[in-house]
Amino acid sequence: MSTSDSAETIVPDSEHRGLIERLPQLPRDLAQLARFDRPIGWWLLFWPCVFGVWLSGTGWQFGLLLWFLAGSIAMRGAGCVYNDITDAELDRQVARTASRPIASGRVSKRTAWIWLAALSFVGLIVLLQIPLQAQIIALASLLLVAAYPFMKRITWWPQAWLGLTFNWGLLVGWATLADANWGVAIAVYLGCVAWTVGYDTIYAVQDKEDDALVGIRSSALRMGGKVKQGVATCYALAVALWALGFWLLRADPVAWLTLLPVAWHLGWQVVTLDEKDPGNPLHRFRANRWAGFLFAAACFVVGNAGA
């Protein structure tokens, strides 16, 4: 495959170029459509599920987490397919997204809908593994998912809506095992929303010029020349709300020490963010898989201490 051919079929921020390039054309396009080549998305969907499970104080729960992992990969893929179906016209006008399968015309919308249904079926299998109340809470997230692609057209803060959507798994995980003391789950969930606004603003920095030209709204554009300050504020709010959630669960200041590693990591992202370096924002955005890991560790320690 020539360099020019590769550029037409592999999006610029793919993490698995070699693996994806070896697939036949249609499987390659479907894999890209579901963002299987960009695992950071399902990591960021999966970690909140872990937060809710480990905060519940019921131990490792590896079996349940494997189901949540499968659901995160499948439903993140389904969400991306739906997003690309609704955003095809806009994607054609943005350099980074113009080569996506639907925007480029390589995959028809009919094929995309079939692929979306297949991924959603996997999500349904996962849904049947959890209690009824958790199922109802999980299904409520579909309203957020359905509305998300349109937020960038009507608000400067689509990242906030993404935060509400992407972190819903925390509430599902909590309902599956705890189903009590909901103040804890809500405080931590709101902290995760602030975290998402921060990291997705970093991601949106890549598209600021194109977004401005085609009329797409984002928090990165809204913050103007103060992206660092804005992201720092979001991350500080996230840590504060996480600390509140920990306090509501276990009124012990020592529990807050578990937040120091993730707070340090988020601070590093802000301090080293460089909007002028094309690769820097994407690298800082992807680093949030480690932020999720560090906060998950904190949740496990605080949730299971003394259990």
Side-chain angles (χ1 to χ4, degrees):
M1 177 180 293
S2 70
T3 303
S4 59
D5 289 338
S6 176
E8 291 175 1
T9 56
I10 304 296
V11 291
D13 53 351
S14 171
E15 292 188 62
H16 299 311
R17 288 176 178 269
L19 176 62
I20 296 299
E21 285 176 346
R22 292 189 184 98
L23 294 174
Q25 186 65 55
L26 182 59
R28 179 194 310 158
D29 288 334
L30 295 180
Q32 282 188 263
L33 197 54
R35 310 293 198 272
F36 290 159
D37 58 328
R38 294 153 65 189
I40 180 59
W42 56 256
W43 274 116
L44 295 174
L45 193 62
F46 173 63
W47 280 128
C49 301
V50 181
F51 304 159
V53 169
W54 282 357
L55 268 179
S56 71
T58 55
W60 296 105
Q61 295 288 337
F62 285 132
L64 177 62
L65 291 180
L66 284 174
W67 280 114
F68 278 136
L69 177 60
S72 297
I73 294 172
M75 295 314 295
R76 186 267 184 144
C80 289
V81 175
Y82 173 69
N83 188 78
D84 282 10
I85 290 172
T86 58
D87 277 357
E89 297 304 320
L90 287 175
D91 284 347
R92 291 187 184 104
Q93 303 176 63
V94 177
R96 188 178 55 81
T97 59
S99 62
R100 286 179 176 172
I102 298 176
S104 65
R106 297 194 311 275
V107 172
S108 69
K109 288 189 176 181
R110 180 178 180 274
T111 300
W113 280 114
I114 294 172
W115 181 220
L116 189 155
L119 292 166
S120 298
F121 181 72
V122 176
L124 176 61
I125 294 173
V126 175
L127 185 71
L128 296 176
Q129 311 307 311
I130 59 178
L132 179 60
Q133 178 172 300
Q135 290 178 13
I136 294 171
I137 292 173
L139 288 172
S141 69
L142 295 179
L143 298 174
L144 295 170
V145 173
Y148 170 68
F150 305 101
M151 291 299 111
K152 64 176 69 72
R153 298 167 171 85
I154 63 177
T155 175
W156 287 102
W157 300 96
Q159 283 70 25
W161 196 270
L162 180 70
L164 294 171
T165 306
F166 244 58
N167 296 291
W168 200 259
L170 187 153
L171 303 179
V172 177
W174 184 262
T176 299
L177 295 170
D179 191 24
N181 199 0
W182 276 92
V184 173
I186 291 172
V188 176
Y189 169 70
L190 293 176
C192 289
V193 173
W195 172 46
T196 301
V197 174
Y199 70 61
D200 205 54
T201 297
I202 293 175
Y203 187 76
V205 164
Q206 302 172 93
D207 297 330
K208 283 176 70 175
E209 294 183 6
D210 285 339
D211 285 352
L213 287 173
V214 301
I216 296 176
R217 301 180 181 185
S218 75
S219 54
L221 284 172
R222 189 63 172 173
M223 291 177 188
K226 297 183 178 180
V227 168
K228 271 196 175 187
Q229 296 92 319
V231 172
T233 300
C234 291
Y235 283 170
L237 180 59
V239 174
L241 286 166
W242 290 339
L244 173 61
F246 282 9
W247 182 262
L248 293 174
L249 181 66
R250 189 179 302 280
D252 182 356
V254 175
W256 291 340
L257 295 177
T258 63
L259 290 171
L260 291 179
V262 67
W264 179 89
H265 180 84
L266 295 177
W268 166 81
Q269 289 184 34
V270 173
V271 171
T272 60
L273 179 63
D274 182 1
E275 294 183 60
K276 297 180 180 179
D277 179 353
N280 179 278
L282 181 60
H283 182 270
R284 298 302 176 274
F285 166 73
R286 286 177 176 165
N288 280 282
R289 74 185 71 188
W290 296 110
F293 170 80
L294 293 171
F295 184 57
C299 289
F300 184 84
V301 172
V302 174
N304 293 276

